[in-house]
PDB file of all heavy atoms in Angstrom:
ATOM      1  N   LYS A  18      64.088   4.588  62.034  1.00 42.00           N
ATOM      2  CA  LYS A  18      64.175   5.698  62.965  1.00 42.00           C
ATOM      3  C   LYS A  18      65.562   5.813  63.517  1.00 42.00           C
ATOM      4  O   LYS A  18      66.022   6.896  63.889  1.00 42.00           O
ATOM      5  CB  LYS A  18      63.161   5.541  64.077  1.00 42.00           C
ATOM      6  CG  LYS A  18      61.762   5.827  63.590  1.00 42.00           C
ATOM      7  CD  LYS A  18      60.980   6.447  64.667  1.00 42.00           C
ATOM      8  CE  LYS A  18      59.705   7.034  64.114  1.00 42.00           C
ATOM      9  NZ  LYS A  18      58.605   6.826  65.030  1.00 42.00           N
ATOM     10  N   ARG A  54      66.480  -2.037  76.276  1.00 43.00           N
ATOM     11  CA  ARG A  54      66.498  -0.789  76.935  1.00 43.00           C
ATOM     12  C   ARG A  54      65.371  -0.739  77.958  1.00 43.00           C
ATOM     13  O   ARG A  54      64.213  -0.891  77.633  1.00 43.00           O
ATOM     14  CB  ARG A  54      66.340   0.355  76.001  1.00 43.00           C
ATOM     15  CG  ARG A  54      67.583   1.188  76.004  1.00 43.00           C
ATOM     16  CD  ARG A  54      67.400   2.435  75.188  1.00 43.00           C
ATOM     17  NE  ARG A  54      67.210   2.124  73.778  1.00 43.00           N
ATOM     18  CZ  ARG A  54      66.158   2.550  73.130  1.00 43.00           C
ATOM     19  NH1 ARG A  54      65.265   3.274  73.713  1.00 43.00           N
ATOM     20  NH2 ARG A  54      66.044   2.256  71.852  1.00 43.00           N
ATOM     21  N   ASN A  57      65.947   2.575  83.170  1.00 44.00           N
ATOM     22  CA  ASN A  57      67.138   2.967  83.937  1.00 44.00           C
ATOM     23  C   ASN A  57      68.399   2.841  83.133  1.00 44.00           C
ATOM     24  O   ASN A  57      69.489   3.139  83.613  1.00 44.00           O
ATOM     25  CB  ASN A  57      67.286   2.007  85.112  1.00 44.00           C
ATOM     26  CG  ASN A  57      66.365   2.420  86.221  1.00 44.00           C
ATOM     27  OD1 ASN A  57      66.185   3.602  86.418  1.00 44.00           O
ATOM     28  ND2 ASN A  57      65.770   1.495  86.895  1.00 44.00           N
ATOM     29  N   PHE A 116      95.801  46.265  91.995  1.00 82.00           N
ATOM     30  CA  PHE A 116      95.824  45.913  93.395  1.00 82.00           C
ATOM     31  C   PHE A 116      94.622  45.095  93.787  1.00 82.00           C
ATOM     32  O   PHE A 116      93.502  45.355  93.343  1.00 82.00           O
ATOM     33  CB  PHE A 116      95.834  47.196  94.274  1.00 82.00           C
ATOM     34  CG  PHE A 116      97.179  47.875  94.303  1.00 82.00           C
ATOM     35  CD1 PHE A 116      97.478  48.881  93.458  1.00 82.00           C
ATOM     36  CD2 PHE A 116      98.097  47.477  95.267  1.00 82.00           C
ATOM     37  CE1 PHE A 116      98.688  49.528  93.502  1.00 82.00           C
ATOM     38  CE2 PHE A 116      99.320  48.126  95.339  1.00 82.00           C
ATOM     39  CZ  PHE A 116      99.621  49.145  94.440  1.00 82.00           C
ATOM     40  N   TYR A 274     102.704  32.719 106.863  1.00 82.00           N
ATOM     41  CA  TYR A 274     103.554  33.289 105.822  1.00 82.00           C
ATOM     42  C   TYR A 274     104.987  33.273 106.276  1.00 82.00           C
ATOM     43  O   TYR A 274     105.303  33.278 107.464  1.00 82.00           O
ATOM     44  CB  TYR A 274     103.085  34.728 105.519  1.00 82.00           C
ATOM     45  CG  TYR A 274     101.872  34.819 104.659  1.00 82.00           C
ATOM     46  CD1 TYR A 274     101.103  33.707 104.386  1.00 82.00           C
ATOM     47  CD2 TYR A 274     101.480  36.036 104.117  1.00 82.00           C
ATOM     48  CE1 TYR A 274     100.010  33.796 103.589  1.00 82.00           C
ATOM     49  CE2 TYR A 274     100.376  36.130 103.334  1.00 82.00           C
ATOM     50  CZ  TYR A 274      99.597  34.997 103.062  1.00 82.00           C
ATOM     51  OH  TYR A 274      98.499  35.110 102.266  1.00 82.00           O
TER      52      TYR A 274
ATOM     53  N   THR B  45      89.557  45.904  91.583  1.00 74.00           N
ATOM     54  CA  THR B  45      90.036  46.959  92.454  1.00 74.00           C
ATOM     55  C   THR B  45      88.996  48.032  92.752  1.00 74.00           C
ATOM     56  O   THR B  45      88.726  48.390  93.859  1.00 74.00           O
ATOM     57  CB  THR B  45      91.329  47.576  91.913  1.00 74.00           C
ATOM     58  OG1 THR B  45      92.173  46.493  91.537  1.00 74.00           O
ATOM     59  CG2 THR B  45      91.996  48.405  92.959  1.00 74.00           C
ATOM     60  N   GLN B  82      67.120   9.737  89.360  1.00 92.00           N
ATOM     61  CA  GLN B  82      67.249   8.845  88.236  1.00 92.00           C
ATOM     62  C   GLN B  82      67.411   9.564  86.915  1.00 92.00           C
ATOM     63  O   GLN B  82      68.332   9.247  86.147  1.00 92.00           O
ATOM     64  CB  GLN B  82      65.947   7.996  88.172  1.00 92.00           C
ATOM     65  CG  GLN B  82      66.055   6.793  87.333  1.00 92.00           C
ATOM     66  CD  GLN B  82      64.680   6.147  87.121  1.00 92.00           C
ATOM     67  OE1 GLN B  82      63.736   6.831  86.707  1.00 92.00           O
ATOM     68  NE2 GLN B  82      64.540   4.899  87.425  1.00 92.00           N
ATOM     69  N   ARG B 160      99.699  28.450  97.298  1.00 84.00           N
ATOM     70  CA  ARG B 160      98.696  29.489  97.424  1.00 84.00           C
ATOM     71  C   ARG B 160      98.727  30.425  96.237  1.00 84.00           C
ATOM     72  O   ARG B 160      97.685  30.787  95.701  1.00 84.00           O
ATOM     73  CB  ARG B 160      98.907  30.301  98.726  1.00 84.00           C
ATOM     74  CG  ARG B 160      97.803  31.295  98.877  1.00 84.00           C
ATOM     75  CD  ARG B 160      97.805  32.101 100.131  1.00 84.00           C
ATOM     76  NE  ARG B 160      96.684  33.027  99.973  1.00 84.00           N
ATOM     77  CZ  ARG B 160      96.236  33.839 100.903  1.00 84.00           C
ATOM     78  NH1 ARG B 160      96.818  33.823 102.089  1.00 84.00           N
ATOM     79  NH2 ARG B 160      95.253  34.622 100.692  1.00 84.00           N
ATOM     80  N   ASP B 214      63.645   9.954  68.579  1.00 89.00           N
ATOM     81  CA  ASP B 214      63.428   8.561  68.168  1.00 89.00           C
ATOM     82  C   ASP B 214      63.450   7.695  69.415  1.00 89.00           C
ATOM     83  O   ASP B 214      62.617   6.770  69.529  1.00 89.00           O
ATOM     84  CB  ASP B 214      64.530   8.133  67.237  1.00 89.00           C
ATOM     85  CG  ASP B 214      64.417   8.816  65.887  1.00 89.00           C
ATOM     86  OD1 ASP B 214      63.349   9.474  65.656  1.00 89.00           O
ATOM     87  OD2 ASP B 214      65.362   8.760  65.099  1.00 89.00           O
ATOM     88  N   GLU B 218      60.461   5.284  70.544  1.00 87.00           N
ATOM     89  CA  GLU B 218      60.646   3.852  70.718  1.00 87.00           C
ATOM     90  C   GLU B 218      60.209   3.407  72.104  1.00 87.00           C
ATOM     91  O   GLU B 218      59.545   2.377  72.269  1.00 87.00           O
ATOM     92  CB  GLU B 218      62.136   3.507  70.565  1.00 87.00           C
ATOM     93  CG  GLU B 218      62.559   3.055  69.171  1.00 87.00           C
ATOM     94  CD  GLU B 218      64.020   2.740  69.183  1.00 87.00           C
ATOM     95  OE1 GLU B 218      64.394   1.825  69.960  1.00 87.00           O
ATOM     96  OE2 GLU B 218      64.780   3.366  68.453  1.00 87.00           O
TER      97      GLU B 218
END
Side-chain angles (χ1 to χ4, degrees):
Chain A
K18 286 215 167 140
R54 246 186 295 125
N57 281 323
F116 281 94
Y274 282 11
Chain B
T45 315
Q82 196 191 52
R160 184 177 177 173
D214 291 348
E218 266 182 58

